[in-house]
Amino acid sequence: MTDVPRPLGISRRALLRGTAATAAYAASSESVHAATGHPADSGPGALSDQSAVRTFTVGDTRLTYVVDGAMELDPTGFLPAVPAAYWRDHPEALTRSGRIAASAGGLLVERGGRRLLIDAGLGANVLSPSLGVSRAGALPDTLHRLRVPPESVDTVAFTHLHTDHTGLGFRTDGERTPRKAFPRADYLVAAAEWEPFWRREIEVGAPSWDGFMVPMSRVLRTFGDGAEIWPGVTALVTPGHSPGHTTYVIAASGGRHVLVFGDAFHTPAQLAHPEWPSGPDTDTGAVLKARRTLLARLLLPRTHAFAFHFGDQAFGRVVRDGTGAARWHPAPARKLLPPPVRISPFPR
């Protein structure tokens, strides 16, 4: 096996790939906004439902949740620190089956004729029964329906290396050797995340060794905290859920920012109660520190956020309520497609 590849840096090859991806982007027959004939639905949806494919524009940057599949998390197995009384008092946070709706997918970031994809869904992976239930694998079809060719994506960046965020990074298509699902893209991950997974020190949530880790080792580029991984997108390493879990800070025009905080929070309840960890967290003390750092950033003016697992309320802001507690204020985001996969038939 190879050593960890070199840190992130701008190379001539990367620039050429970016140019090719830009050309592919420009060649797309229609934009994401015009990809469907569905009437505009600006939402937001219900916390208890799976996420629709929604798009949200902040300044000069368009963000689209490319949904791959559905997860329903077991409140006790996945969030054992959350008191049962909380769920009794907040039935709107649960599906009809009494679980937590938590979609999986990737966030497509578009600006200046370029496309960045943050995370790659669950794919053929499944949740451990102790954590919940799942069905996924729709991400390629979702991209197709949005008229986004895989070769038009110039960068794929991972918040962390758990199966529900890496599932469709590579494909075999009947071949023995997995290939990049986004053939012209640079694949990026924080060095602090990659190294312990590569040393096989992390077992919980780890992706397939042969299906992801080995092919990733041949192509990835690593970065450190504070690196600009894409024009106007900076890495904020927020460890705890995993060793090098990364939040991406997107700077948009007009002084606006969007924080893509991965799995630092799994449910809005943890915004008000950052002391409530999630079952798969590797270091609960680090999670609490990371959440405090993030809340200070999230509460700043002109700051939005993207949450992979907040039901059909993926886009929003964090605000203080009348008691001073942080809470999720979902933002209206245009619905392009319905949820591609559901487990429970209907939301509450």
Side-chain angles (χ1 to χ4, degrees):
M1 297 299 178
T2 61
D3 293 331
V4 175
R6 67 189 185 283
L8 179 65
I10 297 176
S11 65
R12 185 172 184 272
R13 180 178 293 179
L15 289 172
L16 290 173
R17 273 199 298 266
T19 301
T22 300
Y25 174 99
S28 297
S29 60
E30 295 184 54
S31 70
V32 168
H33 278 286
T36 71
H38 292 270
D41 176 356
S42 294
L47 185 61
S48 59
D49 195 12
Q50 294 298 322
S51 183
V53 177
R54 294 185 183 272
T55 190
F56 183 64
T57 299
V58 180
D60 59 351
T61 305
R62 185 169 64 210
L63 311 169
T64 304
Y65 192 9
V66 184
V67 179
D68 173 53
M71 300 188 297
E72 288 194 2
L73 309 179
D74 181 85
T76 302
F78 201 97
L79 297 168
V82 179
Y86 176 85
W87 303 117
R88 288 197 300 269
D89 294 341
H90 297 84
E92 76 284 353
L94 299 176
T95 67
R96 288 182 178 272
S97 61
R99 295 185 289 250
I100 301 157
S103 297
L107 178 66
L108 183 67
V109 183
E110 298 178 282
R111 180 170 56 210
R114 296 188 61 179
R115 284 173 168 155
L116 160 70
L117 185 69
I118 300 176
D119 289 347
L122 182 67
N125 300 309
V126 294
L127 285 180
S128 166
S130 65
L131 299 179
V133 294
S134 61
R135 289 177 54 208
L139 189 142
D141 183 63
T142 301
L143 286 169
H144 176 74
R145 295 182 69 185
L146 294 174
R147 300 192 180 111
V148 176
E151 61 271 15
S152 72
V153 175
D154 62 75
T155 304
V156 176
F158 295 96
T159 60
H160 62 297
L161 298 181
H162 284 172
T163 55
D164 58 317
H165 293 259
T166 59
L168 286 160
F170 294 88
R171 302 182 68 177
T172 58
D173 296 327
E175 300 177 9
R176 174 174 293 183
T177 303
R179 297 180 292 106
K180 291 195 300 185
F182 304 91
R184 293 178 175 168
D186 284 319
Y187 276 40
L188 312 179
V189 68
E193 180 76 357
W194 173 258
E195 291 165 4
F197 275 91
W198 184 242
R199 293 192 297 263
R200 296 196 178 190
E201 295 172 1
I202 309 298
E203 295 181 2
V204 176
S208 165
W209 184 257
D210 292 326
F212 182 88
M213 293 299 295
V214 171
M216 183 71 168
S217 74
R218 299 177 180 134
V219 301
L220 92 156
R221 305 179 72 197
T222 58
F223 57 81
D225 186 36
E228 184 179 55
I229 62 99
W230 197 75
V233 179
T234 304
L236 175 63
V237 178
T238 46
H241 180 63
S242 62
H245 179 279
T246 302
T247 295
Y248 293 106
V249 182
I250 302 170
S253 61
R256 300 173 178 87
H257 291 87
V258 182
L259 271 63
V260 182
F261 54 67
D263 281 3
F265 300 95
H266 283 97
T267 177
Q270 293 169 323
L271 297 167
H273 294 277
E275 73 277 10
W276 291 347
S278 301
D281 292 343
T282 61
D283 185 336
T284 56
V287 165
L288 182 58
K289 181 179 179 181
R291 288 178 178 174
R292 287 171 174 165
T293 298
L294 286 170
L295 285 169
R297 298 282 295 265
L298 289 164
L299 288 163
L300 292 174
R302 306 176 78 78
T303 300
H304 288 82
F306 173 80
F308 282 97
H309 302 318
F310 282 20
D312 195 16
Q313 298 182 353
F315 298 97
R317 295 186 59 210
V318 178
V319 299
R320 296 285 189 192
D321 65 16
T323 68
R327 66 176 179 86
W328 186 243
H329 182 73
R334 183 183 177 197
K335 180 178 178 180
L336 299 177
L337 297 167
V341 180
R342 277 196 173 100
I343 296 171
S344 294
F346 303 104
R348 285 178 95 75

